[in-house]
Amino acid sequence: GAGVSQTPSNKVTEKGKYVELRCDPISGHTALYWYRQSLGQGPEFLIYFQGTGAADDSGLPNDRFFAVRPEGSVSTLKIQRTERGDSAVYLCASSRFTSSSTDTQYFGPGTRLTVL
Amino acid sequence: AQSVTQLGSHVSVSEGALVLLRCNYSSSVPPYLFWYVQYPNQGLQLLLKYTTGATLVKGINGFEAEFKKSETSFHLTKPSAHMSDAAEYFCAVSEAAGNKLTFGGGTRVLVKP
């Protein structure tokens, strides 16, 4: 079946603008994760949803970042007043979250955000 | 808090030679451990994972990793490198099933003909 999809694949914006990044998880996956990967680094956790609610948002760097998942499927990561330091690849992952130890996160291709 | 250290940001191997990528972790509880691979312009793909049971884990593309609790390590190996193994490899740890992943900084593998 289809994997995790993310749109847009690339986004260029100007400092101070607002951006939205979209993630479509694998059908039937109840858990959804956002990570951020800066150049030359490993991904860093931002937020994780179980269904419609944010189960853990401890990785969001500040209150300019916000994410929603209103119907428990598609999620949108929203960044207000973008700064040059927000430039990174934003990765989305989904999993079935059966609480089984075999649960695996499947990653999308990412959205490359460039803030000029 | 969890953390992951990958020794060596770049590794160069000859085609047919052993690939060894090192990963050490810290975790306050028994960890779940993962290796992901990232090919250029592609998403992260799971190579293998350790959750419970046998400490030697076999994954896709001939890779395997061994969980050594006493050394807090989860090194990745492949006996014979192939040109298609050129990619970036990430080790990750999670403290519970379905929980967030903490990644290492990654190791980029270059395979020389």
Side-chain angles (χ1 to χ4, degrees):
Chain A
V4 177
S5 62
Q6 293 186 245
T7 54
S9 55
N10 280 283
K11 176 71 176 177
V12 180
T13 190
E14 294 179 342
K15 180 176 179 293
K17 299 290 188 181
Y18 168 83
V19 297
E20 291 189 350
L21 312 179
R22 175 188 169 108
C23 172
D24 254 296
I26 293 171
S27 177
H29 280 192
T30 60
L32 185 147
Y33 308 78
W34 284 99
Y35 295 84
R36 178 168 71 173
Q37 186 175 16
S38 299
L39 192 62
Q41 299 182 22
E44 293 179 303
F45 170 77
L46 295 176
I47 185 171
Y48 136 62
F49 289 90
Q50 182 54 250
T52 60
D56 183 352
D57 65 357
S58 62
L60 294 178
N62 51 59
D63 62 5
R64 295 187 298 106
F65 289 74
F66 189 72
V68 295
R69 196 186 185 199
E71 298 178 355
S73 178
V74 170
S75 177
T76 305
L77 179 66
K78 309 180 181 196
I79 311 174
Q80 299 177 322
R81 304 183 304 280
T82 52
E83 300 178 355
R84 293 193 179 89
D86 299 335
S87 297
V89 176
Y90 289 81
L91 299 171
C92 177
S94 70
S95 73
R96 291 176 194 242
F97 195 72
T98 60
S99 74
S100 162
S101 63
T102 60
D103 200 47
T104 295
Q105 292 183 31
Y106 296 87
F107 282 80
T111 294
R112 183 176 298 277
L113 175 66
T114 302
V115 181
L116 302 177
Chain B
Q2 310 162 89
S3 67
V4 178
T5 301
Q6 292 184 239
L7 290 177
S9 59
H10 291 79
V11 168
S12 181
V13 299
S14 297
E15 192 174 18
L18 171 73
V19 179
L20 170 60
L21 305 183
R22 299 180 185 274
C23 172
N24 289 87
Y25 69 90
S26 69
S27 177
S28 57
V29 299
Y32 296 100
L33 295 160
F34 306 80
W35 276 99
Y36 280 85
V37 60
Q38 188 173 39
Y39 298 102
N41 300 315
Q42 293 187 30
L44 291 161
Q45 180 182 1
L46 182 69
L47 274 179
L48 50 78
K49 62 183 177 183
Y50 168 80
T51 53
T52 59
T55 57
L56 182 61
V57 181
K58 295 187 184 299
I60 62 172
N61 302 338
F63 284 93
E64 62 182 36
E66 186 171 11
F67 168 55
K68 292 187 176 181
K69 184 178 178 180
S70 62
E71 298 177 7
T72 60
S73 70
F74 191 56
H75 302 331
L76 181 71
T77 60
K78 181 174 180 177
S80 177
H82 191 273
M83 296 300 291
S84 61
D85 295 326
E88 188 152 23
Y89 293 78
F90 293 94
C91 181
V93 64
S94 172
E95 291 188 345
N99 212 329
K100 63 186 179 186
L101 296 171
T102 298
F103 286 88
T107 298
R108 187 170 298 277
V109 173
L110 171 67
V111 182
K112 299 177 292 185

